[in-house]
Amino acid sequence: MVDRFRTRFEVRDERFRRVNGDEWTDCLWTGGRWLEGPAWFGAGRYLVFSDIPNDRLLRWDETTGAVGVLRQPAGHANGHTVDRRGRLVSCEQGNRRVTRTEPDGTDTVLAERWRGRRLNSPNDVVEHSDGSIWFTDPSYGIDSDYEGHRAESEIGGNHVYRVDPHDGEVRRVADDFAQPNGLAFSADESQLYVVDTRARHLRRFAVTETGTLRGGEVFATCDAGSFDGVRLDDAGRVWVAAHDGLHCFDPDGTLLGKLHVPEVVANFTFGGPKRNHLYLCASSSLYSLRVNVNGVRYPGW
């Protein structure tokens, strides 16, 4: 694998022509089996990401460029987020739970059952400014022993859930997905975007004041494999990982353009002090480039 390649933005709509970045995209590290879930820690200037089949969390240090093992075994962790207190929240699809790593290194289990039944294999997670945790629960971690542990579903479906910040109750908020995957809030948290990988599309819901969802119309359909992770920038554009790189959509649903990557992109995040550094987990490699757009800043950050 080369250590860099020439960056290629494909313009599909003239509104995307002013979006650009580094001339070269760097390969920071390669050697994973399937990388996922990058989470940026600004205070420490490092990135945490998952190598799911190898059951490990990895840590890339911006100050040295070194990559080391942060945790192994890691419950075949998939997606992560950093909460508003700087703690790592992880979807451990092998352990079938969502956890939070405390400052002393211990783990707090946030969700592992719904109505007394074990979750399937939590996949991706986001935090709302009210303190609630929202996550998707497809079947990937129980479908085989490759990135989890083969098992039958106790729930009988693949859903989206919310963990109440007051009583910790796990509530199902959407139950009509084939394989829910990446999810992200709009800047004002009034909308939630959720990928359905098997259906190859991205849906958009309205978030109510009581923490429920309404609507759920298809916002965009993938034309290159399937969608996976999703993030927004501060202009409201929606960026989604796909088999040929990142797809960028206007809030009106128009495909504005693409950032092409030579491996299948699973997930990505905006990092750096100005949230204008893209980190991409793509198949076996971690890529990065600085762009002239900024990741969204949510309430409470």
Side-chain angles (χ1 to χ4, degrees):
M1 177 64 64
V2 297
D3 60 358
R4 58 183 355 208
F5 62 90
R6 191 174 294 278
T7 302
R8 183 162 74 94
F9 288 95
E10 177 191 350
V11 176
R12 293 287 189 93
D13 183 285
E14 284 302 308
R15 290 171 289 179
F16 194 66
R17 193 167 296 281
R18 58 181 176 268
V19 176
N20 54 59
D22 290 336
E23 183 177 357
W24 296 89
T25 296
D26 293 319
C27 180
L28 301 178
W29 182 82
T30 191
R33 277 197 162 89
W34 181 254
L35 303 185
E36 259 279 10
W40 172 253
F41 285 81
R45 295 175 60 185
Y46 63 86
L47 186 84
V48 172
F49 58 104
S50 301
D51 184 1
I52 304 175
N54 286 325
D55 195 15
R56 59 183 178 174
L57 292 188
L58 300 172
R59 178 183 182 273
W60 173 77
D61 189 324
E62 183 188 43
T63 64
T64 65
V67 171
V69 176
L70 179 66
R71 185 181 302 170
Q72 189 175 31
H76 291 92
N78 192 325
H80 307 277
T81 193
V82 181
D83 73 10
R84 285 162 173 79
R85 294 177 59 183
R87 299 170 296 187
L88 179 68
V89 178
S90 303
C91 289
E92 299 180 9
Q93 64 179 33
N95 290 336
R96 302 170 70 170
R97 64 186 190 178
V98 179
T99 63
R100 182 180 64 224
T101 302
E102 306 297 347
D104 64 0
T106 60
D107 286 335
T108 298
V109 177
L110 302 178
E112 59 182 345
R113 294 180 182 273
W114 175 68
R115 295 183 177 177
R117 290 169 282 182
R118 293 188 71 189
L119 298 170
N120 295 326
S121 58
N123 183 280
D124 207 357
V125 58
V126 290
E127 183 197 32
H128 191 278
S129 60
D130 66 5
S132 58
I133 299 295
W134 301 62
F135 67 95
T136 54
D137 187 43
S139 63
Y140 300 122
I142 59 173
D143 286 341
S144 73
D145 294 319
Y146 182 72
E147 52 181 350
H149 307 288
R150 185 189 298 274
E152 294 296 322
S153 172
E154 296 183 13
I155 293 172
N158 306 315
H159 309 311
V160 184
Y161 297 91
R162 175 184 183 269
V163 182
D164 189 273
H166 304 294
D167 59 17
E169 182 180 353
V170 179
R171 297 185 173 94
R172 187 175 64 183
V173 293
D175 62 357
D176 59 346
F177 280 81
Q179 290 284 24
N181 202 312
L183 71 172
F185 286 111
S186 61
D188 62 1
E189 301 178 318
S190 67
Q191 298 174 322
L192 181 69
Y193 294 87
V194 187
V195 166
D196 192 327
T197 300
R198 183 174 293 169
R200 299 179 58 196
H201 61 218
L202 174 67
R203 297 171 62 185
R204 181 168 59 187
F205 294 85
V207 182
T208 72
E209 293 183 357
T210 58
T212 59
L213 298 179
R214 290 186 290 103
E217 72 280 0
V218 173
F219 173 77
T221 300
C222 189
D223 64 3
S226 299
F227 287 146
D228 200 324
V230 56
R231 297 285 187 273
L232 275 73
D233 66 26
D234 64 1
R237 291 176 291 241
V238 183
W239 296 74
V240 198
H243 286 201
D244 58 351
L246 298 185
H247 296 192
C248 181
F249 294 89
D250 189 79
D252 67 11
T254 302
L255 175 60
L256 299 176
K258 299 182 178 184
L259 169 61
H260 286 277
V261 178
E263 295 186 83
V264 174
V265 180
N267 215 328
F268 64 102
T269 194
F270 290 95
K274 296 183 179 180
R275 308 178 310 286
N276 64 342
H277 210 134
L278 269 175
Y279 295 100
L280 304 93
C281 286
S283 301
S284 61
S285 306
L286 175 66
Y287 297 98
S288 76
L289 74 156
R290 189 168 297 178
V291 292
N292 68 346
V293 302
N294 306 82
V296 64
R297 183 185 292 277
Y298 288 107
W301 283 102

